Amino acid sequence: MSVIVRVAARGEGIAGDGRHVALAAPGDTLTDDGAIIAGPHHIDPACRHYPECGGCQLQHLDDESWSAFITDRIASVLDAHGVPAPIRPPALSPPRTRRRASLHVEPSGRMGFTAERSHQIVDLHECHVLAPELFALVRPLKRLLPSLKAKRRLDVHLTLADQGVDVLVRGVAPEGLAHHDALTALAQAHGVARVAFDDGIGPETHWEPEPVTITLGGVAVPLPPGSFLQATVEGEAALVAATREAVQGARIVADLFAGLGTFALSLDARVYAAESARDAIMALKAAAGRAQRPVFTEQRDLFRRPLTTAELDRFDAVVLDPPRAGAREQVLQLAASKVATIGYVSCNPGSFARDAQDLCKAGYTLDWVQPVGQFRWSTHVELASRFSRSPA
């Protein structure tokens, strides 16, 4: 017999003798024949679809062991790259708070997340991670979308905006008065903020009684269909608070990979915001202008054209929130700059650790890391951090 000591990056329990065991929690006992005897951190999963559904992989863990998993994920990759740092307790989002999700729909009407490590769709009848407003649309959409006669699988992006749920359907476009009437009836009955379809040439809005916005930093920002947004309000608040702390006192800040302005609109500073997505940066520009916030925007591909060292030296601090691949090109320029403080937000501990290693080799210190678990019961880990260097 052996005891499960921790959870691996992909969610399997690791026993003291090295065995990897699915659905095992720290403290469980693994018998010689492979059976699991539940320990103090093993809880009964809440959802009937677990563990088949790939929406969450760790529903059998209590919050203490899920927090430990998040911390261990970050600590292990930092250790592997030789970058020590204090790691704070994770900020966990509660169940049923996820305000942004992509579901899949088969022509037969099956709708949900894909199964773990599979393309098969798990037909959702309940969900303990989605916000109730999102889940309330699953059944109506399952009835409506098959009538569009799509010949392939559709993707449905749901986002909880200020005015209600924003729905974007990719892979088909409605045709005819009957489809229009059915869409209108669904939107009115369920208080939908917007319905848009994208059959391959860009989103086309079919229902939007008033302009759809998302409030960031106290400012209502126009929300383009399918835009990126932090997954939960609680997760966003934790990341914003950590980033504000990281760059506190800076008068001029560069917000790179700025998106719609989650951080740019929350900082007490003059902000230069760069983002490659045109719709997002134009939305931020319009919102900042109306609110008279000191935010200067630029559409810029920071992978192809990162800010140079000379450009970076104009700022007191820099905020980075890159995609999962990290910000290698931009980090190399930062490493050679005179920027005193960096607030780095990441959704991938692996690429973060690689970039952290480059910054620390150049003289920066990783002061702290704030883990954030906003994808409830998932192996997906996010974080905010602070790098600083003494003036030359």
Side-chain angles (χ1 to χ4, degrees):
M1 299 176 71
S2 183
V3 175
I4 302 297
V5 294
R6 65 185 184 91
V7 178
R10 298 182 68 174
E12 307 95 339
I14 302 179
D17 59 10
R19 284 181 288 177
H20 284 230
V21 187
L23 308 180
D28 289 356
T29 300
L30 181 65
T31 64
D32 294 337
D33 60 0
I36 297 172
I37 302 173
H41 299 291
H42 197 128
I43 63 173
D44 292 330
C47 182
R48 77 175 83 171
H49 299 302
Y50 186 81
E52 180 187 8
C53 178
C56 43
Q57 301 87 25
L58 302 174
Q59 240 186 64
H60 60 287
L61 302 186
D62 64 5
D63 278 5
E64 181 180 345
S65 54
W66 182 39
S67 292
F69 165 79
I70 292 171
T71 300
D72 184 60
R73 278 285 313 279
I74 296 170
S76 61
V77 293
L78 288 178
D79 288 346
H81 285 78
V83 183
I87 301 177
R88 297 174 172 179
L92 305 181
S93 293
R96 294 188 173 93
T97 57
R98 188 167 167 186
R99 62 175 176 177
R100 173 179 62 83
S102 294
L103 303 178
H104 311 286
V105 186
E106 292 180 344
S108 64
R110 292 174 63 88
M111 179 175 179
F113 296 106
T114 55
E116 178 72 4
R117 302 176 191 176
S118 170
H119 294 293
Q120 182 178 353
I121 293 174
V122 176
D123 197 26
L124 282 187
H125 295 281
E126 64 177 298
C127 185
H128 294 258
V129 295
L130 293 182
E133 296 90 338
L134 301 191
F135 184 72
L137 285 173
V138 170
R139 183 173 295 178
L141 288 170
K142 286 167 65 173
R143 289 196 298 263
L144 172 67
L145 293 178
S147 70
L148 302 182
K149 305 298 183 183
K151 297 181 180 179
R152 58 189 177 92
R153 178 177 294 189
L154 305 178
D155 294 326
V156 179
H157 303 274
L158 303 175
T159 304
L160 186 55
D162 293 337
Q163 294 76 18
V165 181
D166 180 28
V167 180
L168 172 62
V169 181
R170 296 190 187 274
V172 72
E175 297 179 359
L177 182 60
H179 287 163
H180 175 78
D181 289 345
L183 287 170
T184 301
L186 181 149
Q188 290 177 330
H190 297 277
V192 174
R194 176 172 58 201
V195 181
F197 288 82
D198 184 354
D199 62 354
I201 60 174
E204 181 179 352
T205 298
H206 288 254
W207 169 266
E208 188 179 12
E210 59 179 303
V212 175
T213 61
I214 188 71
T215 297
L216 301 171
V219 178
V221 181
L223 182 66
S227 294
F228 173 81
L229 195 65
Q230 295 297 336
T232 69
V233 172
E234 294 83 0
E236 178 186 284
L239 293 171
V240 167
T243 301
R244 283 173 56 88
E245 178 187 349
V247 302
Q248 186 176 13
R251 295 173 300 169
I252 306 176
V253 178
D255 181 8
L256 308 182
F257 307 95
L260 293 169
T262 299
F263 303 108
L265 293 170
S266 300
L267 300 178
D268 298 322
R270 294 170 57 197
V271 179
Y272 161 81
E275 166 61 43
S276 63
R278 182 179 184 277
D279 287 349
I281 202 67
M282 294 302 292
L284 172 55
K285 180 179 181 179
R290 283 197 300 269
Q292 297 185 324
R293 295 291 185 91
V295 178
F296 171 77
T297 60
E298 182 183 13
Q299 183 184 0
R300 182 164 178 163
D301 186 337
L302 295 168
F303 292 106
R304 295 173 180 267
R305 193 164 65 93
L307 266 68
T308 64
T309 299
E311 291 174 303
L312 291 165
D313 285 345
R314 304 170 187 171
F315 301 102
D316 301 321
V318 169
V319 172
L320 287 174
D321 184 16
R324 290 189 61 80
R328 185 68 182 274
E329 296 82 2
Q330 188 60 78
V331 162
L332 294 177
Q333 294 294 323
L334 267 171
S337 76
K338 299 176 182 177
V339 174
T341 307
I342 301 170
Y344 194 138
V345 178
S346 174
C347 60
N348 183 351
S351 60
F352 170 77
R354 178 204 66 204
D355 291 346
Q357 183 180 52
D358 287 335
L359 290 172
C360 290
K361 284 181 177 179
Y364 282 95
T365 298
L366 178 52
D367 298 316
W368 47 258
V369 176
Q370 172 62 67
V372 176
Q374 62 174 328
F375 287 84
R376 186 73 188 181
W377 296 308
S378 169
T379 57
H380 187 83
V381 173
E382 303 197 344
L383 61 90
S385 63
R386 182 181 190 268
F387 293 84
S388 63
R389 75 187 322 167
S390 302

